[in-house]
Amino acid sequence: MPSDEPAALTERFHRYLRDRRLPVTRQRDLVAETVFRAADHPSVEGIERNLRAAGAEVGTATVYRTLELLEAAGLVRSHDFGEGYRRYEPVTGDSDHEHLVCLRCGRVIEFANERLERMLPVIADEHGFQHAYHRVEIYGTCQDCRRRDVGALGR
Amino acid sequence: MPSDEPAALTERFHRYLRDRRLPVTRQRDLVAETVFRAADHPSVEGIERNLRAAGAEVGTATVYRTLELLEAAGLVRSHDFGEGYRRYEPVTGDSDHEHLVCLRCGRVIEFANERLERMLPVIADEHGFQHAYHRVEIYGTCQDCRRRDVGALGR
DNA sequence: TTCAGTGCAAATGCTTTGCATAATG
DNA sequence: CATTATGCAAAGCATTTGCACTGAA
């Protein structure tokens, strides 16, 4: 059975809203669905583009407000990869993961490494820090962009 | 012999400027010295506060422009710890290091871990990425802030 | 004297907020 | 019907840029 992550997240979002007597609105569902289904860590602009393409439209302020809500609910995480804006991703049941960011095309891919995840709390402890969370980002050139470079050199 | 890092960096900065026939100005020296001597990863505001305290004054635009120059010269690095502004640190002869950021007081301390530094390029490679650089930040509560919390609980 | 730097103020770009109106439960 | 959300436009903020003036070499 294929785990329908987006549907599960949507259900959790609805429960979260109901529990605090907050209205479930068309806009909230549209934004939530868009992020839950996204595989590319979209920015607010990307989310709006996606919505527009689907014939929907949600005010920018509402998009930001809904993302804040989704983060508070623990259903979405935001990242700042130093591009001048934030990107968002759904929080799936998968274990912790970190990111590889391509400096050429901006693509972001995820990786999981248990040894790394185990190391960081230990390092924090060694320095008297109580570990809360961490962030590991590797910047470089992705496979596709490397191939493209090689191809350009070849002719 | 105590290695006088700030002086060495200042000399390198002057050489960098001379080499490209760029003027050495009072403002550039003031900003550079301030960052070279800082041990706390100051922000632009912190740098300006520091300068003001020393009786000097440099326009904000010039501070930004000088920092850009210092980064291009490889003498200063900038970091974004998600606070809404950037922090700067001198590039010393020390090996690579990463950062621990206290969520309570904002203090930033550095740590070096060879195993970690060796791992990341390997991980990149495993995913077809050509590693350029990376960023590892551990967020948590520093020793002082933990002590303060315990003290508050005690009474 | 020439070429680049400086500082002010205005512009930017993402994100947040105020407020009148609209929709949910 | 009461309460909260929405959307627009305005405000915020760190950072960048345009431009007349100043200063370094």
Side-chain angles (χ1 to χ4, degrees):
Chain A
M1 57 159 211
S3 76
D4 192 347
E5 291 273 16
L9 288 169
T10 297
E11 195 180 314
R12 288 215 275 150
F13 186 35
H14 286 180
R15 187 156 52 234
Y16 178 87
L17 293 172
R18 265 190 274 110
D19 285 355
R20 356 207 130 221
R21 258 140 266 242
L22 296 175
V24 173
T25 65
R26 186 182 55 87
Q27 290 87 333
R28 283 177 176 168
D29 270 345
L30 284 166
V31 173
E33 285 288 317
T34 303
V35 181
F36 293 164
R37 293 187 193 296
D40 58 345
H41 303 73
S43 60
V44 165
E45 198 204 305
I47 292 166
E48 292 187 310
R49 199 177 325 117
N50 205 313
L51 286 168
R52 234 175 287 117
E57 188 105 28
V58 177
T60 304
T62 299
V63 174
Y64 279 104
R65 285 188 281 232
T66 303
L67 288 169
E68 190 183 349
L69 205 53
L70 288 165
E71 278 202 79
L75 304 173
V76 160
R77 245 196 294 274
S78 78
H79 298 281
D80 177 354
F81 295 128
E83 300 160 304
Y85 50 83
R86 290 192 214 144
R87 289 171 175 242
Y88 299 82
E89 68 174 359
V91 171
T92 68
D94 298 356
S95 57
D96 285 341
H97 65 260
E98 310 298 340
H99 299 92
L100 285 150
V101 183
C102 180
L103 296 168
R104 289 255 213 287
C105 65
R107 179 148 57 129
V108 175
I109 74 168
E110 302 176 355
F111 72 87
N113 186 300
E114 280 192 45
R115 193 146 73 94
L116 177 64
E117 301 301 329
R118 272 198 307 269
M119 270 175 88
L120 299 173
V122 173
I123 291 174
D125 194 63
E126 285 168 0
H127 294 271
F129 260 69
Q130 178 166 359
H131 173 280
Y133 61 92
H134 56 254
R135 164 172 145 161
V136 177
E137 288 149 22
I138 303 178
Y139 295 85
T141 312
C142 74
Q143 203 151 39
D144 291 353
C145 288
R146 284 165 80 178
R147 284 214 191 90
R148 200 173 311 124
D149 289 357
V150 172
L153 264 177
R155 61 209 54 168
Chain B
M1 53 155 213
S3 75
D4 192 348
E5 292 272 16
L9 288 169
T10 297
E11 196 180 315
R12 288 214 276 149
F13 186 35
H14 287 180
R15 186 156 52 236
Y16 179 87
L17 294 172
R18 264 190 275 110
D19 285 354
R20 359 206 125 223
R21 258 142 265 244
L22 297 175
V24 173
T25 65
R26 184 181 58 85
Q27 289 88 334
R28 283 177 176 170
D29 270 345
L30 285 166
V31 173
E33 286 288 317
T34 302
V35 182
F36 292 163
R37 292 187 194 295
D40 59 346
H41 303 72
S43 61
V44 164
E45 199 204 303
I47 293 167
E48 293 187 309
R49 198 177 324 117
N50 205 313
L51 286 168
R52 233 176 288 117
E57 188 105 27
V58 177
T60 304
T62 299
V63 174
Y64 278 104
R65 285 188 282 232
T66 304
L67 288 169
E68 189 183 349
L69 204 53
L70 288 165
E71 278 202 79
L75 304 173
V76 161
R77 247 196 294 272
S78 76
H79 297 282
D80 176 353
F81 295 128
E83 300 162 304
Y85 49 82
R86 289 190 217 146
R87 289 172 175 241
Y88 298 83
E89 69 176 359
V91 172
T92 67
D94 298 355
S95 57
D96 285 341
H97 64 262
E98 309 299 340
H99 300 91
L100 285 151
V101 183
C102 181
L103 295 168
R104 289 257 213 288
C105 66
R107 179 148 57 127
V108 175
I109 74 168
E110 302 176 354
F111 72 87
N113 186 300
E114 280 192 46
R115 193 144 74 93
L116 177 65
E117 300 302 329
R118 271 197 307 269
M119 269 175 89
L120 299 173
V122 172
I123 291 173
D125 194 62
E126 287 169 359
H127 293 270
F129 261 69
Q130 178 165 1
H131 173 280
Y133 61 92
H134 57 254
R135 171 171 142 159
V136 177
E137 289 147 22
I138 303 178
Y139 295 85
T141 313
C142 75
Q143 203 150 41
D144 292 354
C145 288
R146 284 165 81 177
R147 285 213 190 88
R148 200 173 311 126
D149 288 357
V150 173
L153 263 176
R155 59 209 52 167

